[in-house]
């Protein structure tokens, strides 16, 4: 079956630091890959996505590249802000439209 | 993308009672799903809500505990039955609309006391 393995947190950074959250996956077929973000007290929001190999998703300064050879979709941001403090979920969707989520990584950015 | 209205947004319930959560979409959607997010955990798929037929449940979830209705292509309900404190979670409705991908409702934060 499908599964997503995500870097465990929590991660604590200083403002303007570089952020990487690792994500690898196992799936049948050719899944689409997603990063979702959940800010404190809020619902789940789509951050970015990639639907095929070598695609790069980007949004709000975050980027992730769909790497089929390493089955990875690592999330990166070059300079984080306090407002980026949230829980980040890597996810995939395969042919059956069901989303499989990673465990989530809590990121705290300190001023 | 589809706009989802999920109600209630939160509730505190007594153990042994049941709560029905509603999910209303502003347009017809291909697929509707119900997820659960337990405290500090990731999201787990409960079931796929099928229009006009019984829902399809994931391993570990049963119809007697989580009955689901989907009478049409824009509306679904999830009932959490005979609740216990272990059912305290955020319950989320999500939909897939052709060409627009996945959208999540804002969630129902349930506390069972």
């Amino acid at each position: 079956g499908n599964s997503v393995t995500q870097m465990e947190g929590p991660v604590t950074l200083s403002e303007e630091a570089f952020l990487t959250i690792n994500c690898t996956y196992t799936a049948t077929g050719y899944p689409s890959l997603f990063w979702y973000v959940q800010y404190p007290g809020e619902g789940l929001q789509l951050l970015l996505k990639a639907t095929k190999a070598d695609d790069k998703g980007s949004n709000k300064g975050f980027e992730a590249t769909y790497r089929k050879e390493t089955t990875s979709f690592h999330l990166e941001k070059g300079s984080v802000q306090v407002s980026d403090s949230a829980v980040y979920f890597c996810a995939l969707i395969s042919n059956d439209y069901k989303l499989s989520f990673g465990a989530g990584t809590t990121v705290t950015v300190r001023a | 993308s589809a706009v989802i209205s999920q109600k209630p947004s939160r509730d505190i319930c007594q153990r042994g009672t049941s709560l029905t959560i509603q999910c209303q979409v502003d347009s017809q959607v291909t697929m509707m799903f119900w997820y659960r997010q337990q405290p500090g955990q990731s999201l787990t798929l409960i079931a796929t809500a099928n229009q006009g037929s019984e829902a399809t449940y994931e391993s570990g979830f049963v119809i007697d505990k989580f009955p689901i209705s989907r009478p049409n292509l824009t509306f679904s309900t999830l009932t959490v039955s005979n609740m216990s404190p272990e059912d305290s979670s955020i319950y989320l409705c999500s939909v897939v609309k052709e060409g627009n991908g996945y959208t999540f409702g804002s969630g129902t934060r349930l506390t069972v006391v």
Side-chain angles (χ1 to χ4, degrees), chain B residues 15 43 47-48 60 89 109:
Chain B
R15 67 178 68 202
L43 283 80
T48 304
S89 295
R109 187 178 297 269

Side-chain angles (χ1 to χ4, degrees), chain B residues 43-55:
Chain B
L43 283 80
T44 303
L45 179 63
I46 297 172
T48 304
N50 300 310
Q51 192 264 324
S53 64
E54 191 172 289

Side-chain angles (χ1 to χ4, degrees), chain B residues 19-103:
Chain B
L19 176 72
T20 296
I21 302 167
Q22 298 182 358
C23 178
Q24 177 72 57
V25 192
D26 67 340
S27 57
Q28 293 186 345
V29 293
T30 309
M31 307 188 77
M32 296 181 79
F33 302 93
W34 287 97
Y35 286 84
R36 179 177 73 181
Q37 185 179 19
Q38 294 176 297
Q41 307 274 327
S42 185
L43 283 80
T44 303
L45 179 63
I46 297 172
T48 304
N50 300 310
Q51 192 264 324
S53 64
E54 191 172 289
T56 305
Y57 290 85
E58 298 299 304
S59 176
F61 297 96
V62 295
I63 188 171
D64 290 345
K65 177 66 176 176
F66 297 102
I68 288 170
S69 78
R70 188 178 174 194
N72 55 52
L73 293 176
T74 64
F75 184 77
S76 177
T77 66
L78 167 75
T79 299
V80 186
S81 303
N82 188 26
M83 288 184 284
S84 67
E86 292 70 38
D87 295 320
S88 297
S89 295
I90 299 173
Y91 293 86
L92 297 113
C93 167
S94 65
V95 303
V96 175
K97 186 172 181 180
E98 208 64 50
N100 282 321
Y102 238 92
T103 304

Side-chain angles (χ1 to χ4, degrees), chain A residues 61-96:
Chain A
F62 289 89
E63 291 183 343
T65 301
Y66 189 143
R67 300 283 187 204
K68 188 165 180 245
E69 63 277 13
T70 55
T71 62
S72 65
F73 193 55
H74 305 322
L75 182 68
E76 296 182 338
K77 184 172 185 180
S79 177
V80 293
Q81 305 299 314
V82 173
S83 57
D84 294 323
S85 298
V87 182
Y88 293 83
F89 294 95
C90 186
L92 71 81
I93 187 169
S94 192
N95 299 334
D96 58 6

